[in-house]
Amino acid sequence: QMTQSPSSLSASVGDRVTITCRASQGINSWLAWYQHKPGKAPMSLIYAAFNLQSGVPSRFSGTGFGTDFTLTITGLQPEDSATYYCQQYHTFPLSFGGGTKVEI
Amino acid sequence: EVQLVQSGGGLVRPGGSLRLSCAASEFSLTDHYIDWARQAPGKGLEWVGRSRNKDNSYSTEYAATLIGRFTMSRDESKNSVFLQMNGLRTDDTAVYYCARLLFGEYVDVWGEGTTVIVSP
């Protein structure tokens, strides 16, 4: 089970934003982060806890190992308004966090 | 352009069936694992299941609550993956997404989603 916090946040352009994700048991680095905007397909941001997907801006970064993970957006941009999800892919059934809605 | 093109969503009565399609463009699905996920109205993402690649005999995994009702299959000639959904319930109403995995590990490409509405 994946627990994300906060469930929502409001920040300003240029801010540094951190989202946390906690796994109920150790998952090594088998964690991904996704960005999801209404009416659009999710977008993959980070895999294996800290690896940036191709084409993702460098203001996105991920850290963590085991049970505690973070997604950080450094220098928030208007287009970053979205809901962010973590997902563990260590053990079946795979599971997503509850999501964090980021408002600018 | 590498993409997944989805189709097959629609309105269905409770107890009915629907088959969703996920077709690959500019790559071969035989080489890749495919995951399905869904998002019910006002809810977060929920993992539905996984179809492994040909080297792994297209074996599958499912969310526990869907075993026995949902089945994944493939058609190599159509370069497509299918999600057969039977015994549909109102709480299956959602946008369904397919997604490609790289190296059998992590998602890199998502389909655009297809909407399933289960309503009397």
Side-chain angles (χ1 to χ4, degrees):
Chain A
Q1 189 165 345
M2 308 301 293
T3 303
Q4 255 182 266
S5 62
S7 56
S8 65
L9 65 90
S10 182
S12 300
V13 172
D15 282 355
R16 183 173 184 263
V17 166
T18 298
I19 298 167
T20 64
C21 182
R22 174 163 289 175
S24 58
Q25 60 188 49
I27 58 170
N28 295 328
S29 296
W30 302 105
L31 184 105
W33 289 95
Y34 305 103
Q35 179 192 69
H36 195 196
K37 297 181 179 180
K40 304 275 192 177
M43 185 173 93
S44 297
L45 298 174
I46 286 170
Y47 65 94
F50 60 85
N51 294 279
L52 218 59
Q53 288 271 5
S54 175
V56 174
S58 58
R59 63 180 179 273
F60 291 93
S61 62
T63 62
F65 181 86
T67 59
D68 294 303
F69 301 86
T70 62
L71 172 71
T72 299
I73 310 172
T74 303
L76 195 66
Q77 297 299 304
E79 61 267 30
D80 299 335
S81 178
T83 300
Y84 294 83
Y85 295 92
C86 61
Q87 184 203 27
Q88 67 82 14
Y89 52 100
H90 177 267
T91 304
F92 290 107
L94 307 190
S95 50
F96 291 91
T100 296
K101 186 173 184 179
V102 174
E103 294 179 325
I104 311 293
Chain B
E1 179 190 355
V2 168
Q3 59 179 341
L4 293 167
V5 180
Q6 296 187 238
S7 60
L11 172 64
V12 62
R13 303 293 183 225
S17 299
L18 213 53
R19 188 175 85 152
L20 307 184
S21 299
C22 174
S25 177
E26 301 298 323
F27 72 96
S28 175
L29 270 178
T30 59
D31 299 327
H32 291 276
Y33 291 26
I34 294 293
D35 273 7
W36 289 86
R38 67 183 182 181
Q39 184 179 37
K43 303 288 188 180
L45 292 171
E46 178 188 13
W47 181 76
V48 170
R50 170 167 295 177
S51 169
R52 295 182 179 87
N53 60 9
K54 187 172 185 177
D55 284 351
N56 288 279
S57 306
Y58 297 137
S59 59
T60 54
E61 305 283 347
Y62 298 93
T65 56
L66 303 178
I67 294 172
R69 293 196 302 124
F70 286 22
T71 305
M72 285 173 283
S73 62
R74 298 204 185 206
D75 185 331
E76 291 182 10
S77 66
K78 295 180 179 178
N79 203 22
S80 295
V81 180
F82 305 100
L83 180 65
Q84 177 69 41
M85 306 184 295
N86 299 327
L88 283 163
R89 310 192 298 226
T90 55
D91 61 0
D92 293 318
T93 294
V95 178
Y96 286 74
Y97 298 98
C98 62
R100 183 181 84 164
L101 276 69
L102 276 186
F103 312 117
E105 292 184 1
Y106 56 88
V107 172
D108 70 328
V109 176
W110 291 81
E112 77 275 25
T114 188
T115 300
V116 172
I117 300 173
V118 185
S119 179

